[in-house]
Amino acid sequence: MDLFVYGTLLSPDLMAAIAGPGPLVARPAALPGFAVHPIRDNVVPFIKSDSAAMADGVVWCDLTSAQKARLDTYEGAFGYVLKPVTVSAEGQDMPCHCYMPPEDIRGADGVWSLQEWEKTQLAPAVLAAEELFSHDPLPDHANLRRMWPMIEMRAWAKHRAQAAPARLRRTAAPDDVQIVGASPPQGAFYRLQALQLQHRRFAGDHSPVLAREAFMGADAAMVLPYDPVRGMVAVLEQFRVGPAARHDPNPWMLEPIAGIVDARETPAEAAIREVREEAGLEIVELKPAGRYYPSPGGSTDYFYAFVGLCDLPETSGYLGGLPEEAEDLRIHILPLEKAMALAETGEIATGPLLHLLYWLALHRDRFGAAAGT
């Protein structure tokens, strides 16, 4: 099959990640009668009929049936349909196919640029494609459409990962960890994946091949709202399935406000959004309070912690959350000292809230804490 593309699939790296094994030969081409436009509230383009326009692109030539099947999975999940077209390639008409967008796509003003997209979007797009095609069997279109936001979130978490200081611990070299095998990931929302790996030992040699399982989570932002004038904090209470599955007699947990960092969103943006959605509060200023792996022995979860300076309402508590996300939340507003006492008794038993409370107790003088707190 010969395939005309005009958008992100112009990138050889993304095309290779999606099409999979096999040769990829590109031929410059243009599709008359169509124009390329940005999609509203998105980072990818689409083509729209325009008798006076010409959509520039390339034709990927002689794609195999296996490559076509992978492309059908990737494009079909979002309503794109493969249709025959005739392009102009090096001055000659060339029959081929093109994935045409669904009719309900809304365009935006401006010009879409592959070069600008590649600067910020290519690397996580390749990571997302790699996760998608690690599944066996591949998801159908409906399931992939449902799974895609989390696939993108995990891809952006990998893209966001940076090395922290290593003054005491080992400074890792590229070949210190070798993944020698991986099973297809399992799970509908989160992922569990079995890995076979080796790592360099402190003696200098490599370990034997180890069989491990990793919970493939995402980056999250954690926020403790703090009113420095009144010395009050806001903590969230909600039911949690983890304690319930552990047979905890009381699975209602006290936690900071928290949420997953969306694709193309910074942790700070996620923190402000979650505080607004879950507690109806407006943060005046965010104070970074550390970042960490809560359970590095078997999870990729990574938390960005913040104290959010704000004006807390004159109440002891209220209900919060988004009904459309089935959130059943209660917000407690209490003095920092009372929250610290709950940490001492064990009523606060979640690591992120303990971390933020102790961090705030250590640093609150920097924020103009209320007298007597």
Side-chain angles (χ1 to χ4, degrees), residues 230 232-237 279 312-320 329-334:
R230 298 172 55 218
M232 308 288 279
V233 296
V235 301
L236 181 152
E237 179 185 359
L312 291 175
E314 299 273 356
T315 180
S316 61
Y318 57 96
L319 300 182
L329 311 177
R330 182 161 59 176
I331 311 299
H332 297 275
I333 298 177
L334 66 162

Coordinates of all heavy atoms in Angstrom, one line a residue, residues 230 232-237 279 312-320 329-334:
R230 N -4.0 32.6 58.9 CA -4.8 32.0 59.9 C -4.1 30.7 60.4 O -4.5 30.1 61.4 CB -6.2 31.6 59.4 CG -7.0 32.8 59.0 CD -8.3 32.4 58.4 NE -9.1 31.5 59.2 CZ -9.8 30.5 58.8 NH1 -9.8 30.2 57.5 NH2 -10.4 29.7 59.6
M232 N -4.0 27.8 59.0 CA -4.9 26.6 58.7 C -4.5 25.9 57.4 O -3.9 26.5 56.5 CB -6.3 27.1 58.5 CG -6.9 28.0 59.7 SD -7.2 27.2 61.2 CE -8.8 26.5 60.9
V233 N -4.8 24.6 57.4 CA -4.6 23.8 56.2 C -5.9 23.1 55.8 O -6.8 23.0 56.6 CB -3.5 22.7 56.5 CG1 -2.1 23.3 56.8 CG2 -3.9 21.8 57.6
A234 N -5.9 22.7 54.6 CA -7.1 22.0 54.1 C -6.6 20.6 53.7 O -5.7 20.4 52.9 CB -7.7 22.7 52.9
V235 N -7.3 19.6 54.2 CA -7.0 18.2 53.9 C -8.2 17.5 53.3 O -9.3 17.9 53.7 CB -6.4 17.4 55.1 CG1 -5.1 18.1 55.6 CG2 -7.4 17.2 56.2
L236 N -8.0 16.5 52.5 CA -9.1 15.9 51.8 C -9.4 14.5 52.4 O -8.4 13.8 52.8 CB -8.7 15.7 50.3 CG -9.7 15.1 49.3 CD1 -9.4 15.7 48.0 CD2 -9.4 13.6 49.2
E237 N -10.6 14.1 52.5 CA -11.0 12.8 53.0 C -11.8 12.1 51.9 O -12.7 12.6 51.3 CB -11.9 12.9 54.2 CG -12.4 11.5 54.8 CD -13.3 11.6 56.0 OE1 -13.6 12.8 56.4 OE2 -13.8 10.6 56.4
A279 N -11.5 21.2 45.5 CA -11.8 22.0 46.7 C -12.4 23.3 46.4 O -12.8 24.0 47.4 CB -10.5 22.1 47.6
L312 N -8.2 30.4 53.0 CA -9.1 29.3 53.2 C -10.4 29.9 53.8 O -10.4 30.9 54.6 CB -8.5 28.3 54.2 CG -7.4 27.5 53.6 CD1 -6.8 26.6 54.7 CD2 -7.8 26.6 52.4
P313 N -11.6 29.3 53.4 CA -12.8 29.8 53.9 C -13.0 29.6 55.4 O -12.4 28.7 56.0 CB -13.9 29.0 53.1 CG -13.1 27.8 52.7 CD -11.7 28.2 52.5
E314 N -13.9 30.4 56.0 CA -14.2 30.4 57.5 C -15.2 29.2 57.7 O -16.3 29.5 58.0 CB -14.7 31.7 57.9 CG -13.8 32.9 57.7 CD -12.8 33.0 58.9 OE1 -13.0 32.3 59.9 OE2 -11.9 33.9 58.8
T315 N -14.7 28.0 57.6 CA -15.6 26.9 57.9 C -14.7 25.7 58.3 O -13.5 25.7 58.1 CB -16.4 26.5 56.6 OG1 -17.2 25.4 56.9 CG2 -15.4 26.1 55.5
S316 N -15.3 24.7 59.0 CA -14.5 23.6 59.4 C -14.5 22.5 58.3 O -13.6 21.6 58.4 CB -15.1 23.0 60.7 OG -16.5 22.6 60.4
G317 N -15.4 22.6 57.3 CA -15.3 21.6 56.3 C -16.5 21.7 55.3 O -17.5 22.4 55.6
Y318 N -16.3 21.1 54.1 CA -17.4 21.1 53.1 C -17.1 20.0 52.1 O -16.0 19.4 52.2 CB -17.4 22.5 52.4 CG -16.1 22.9 51.8 CD1 -15.9 22.7 50.4 CD2 -15.1 23.5 52.5 CE1 -14.7 23.0 49.8 CE2 -14.0 23.9 51.9 CZ -13.7 23.7 50.6 OH -12.5 24.1 50.0
L319 N -18.1 19.7 51.3 CA -17.9 18.7 50.3 C -17.3 19.2 49.0 O -17.6 20.4 48.6 CB -19.3 18.0 50.0 CG -20.0 17.3 51.2 CD1 -21.3 16.7 50.7 CD2 -19.1 16.3 51.9
G320 N -16.6 18.4 48.3 CA -15.9 18.8 47.1 C -15.8 17.7 46.0 O -16.4 16.6 46.2
L329 N -15.8 13.6 48.0 CA -14.7 14.1 48.7 C -15.3 15.0 49.9 O -16.3 15.7 49.7 CB -13.8 15.0 47.9 CG -13.3 14.4 46.6 CD1 -12.5 15.4 45.8 CD2 -12.5 13.1 46.8
R330 N -14.6 15.0 51.0 CA -14.9 16.0 52.1 C -13.6 16.7 52.4 O -12.6 16.1 52.6 CB -15.4 15.3 53.3 CG -15.8 16.2 54.4 CD -16.7 15.6 55.4 NE -16.1 14.4 56.1 CZ -16.8 13.8 57.1 NH1 -18.0 14.2 57.5 NH2 -16.2 12.7 57.6
I331 N -13.7 18.1 52.4 CA -12.6 18.9 52.7 C -12.6 19.4 54.1 O -13.6 20.0 54.6 CB -12.5 20.1 51.7 CG1 -12.7 19.7 50.3 CG2 -11.2 20.9 51.9 CD1 -11.7 18.8 49.7
H332 N -11.6 19.1 54.9 CA -11.5 19.5 56.3 C -10.5 20.7 56.4 O -9.4 20.7 55.8 CB -10.9 18.4 57.2 CG -11.8 17.2 57.2 ND1 -12.9 17.1 58.1 CD2 -11.8 16.0 56.5 CE1 -13.4 15.9 57.9 NE2 -12.8 15.2 56.9
I333 N -10.9 21.8 57.0 CA -10.1 22.9 57.3 C -9.8 23.0 58.8 O -10.7 23.1 59.6 CB -10.7 24.2 56.8 CG1 -11.0 24.1 55.2 CG2 -9.9 25.4 57.1 CD1 -11.7 25.3 54.7
L334 N -8.5 22.9 59.1 CA -8.1 22.8 60.5 C -6.8 23.4 60.7 O -6.0 23.6 59.8 CB -8.1 21.3 60.9 CG -7.1 20.3 60.3 CD1 -6.9 19.1 61.2 CD2 -7.5 19.9 58.9

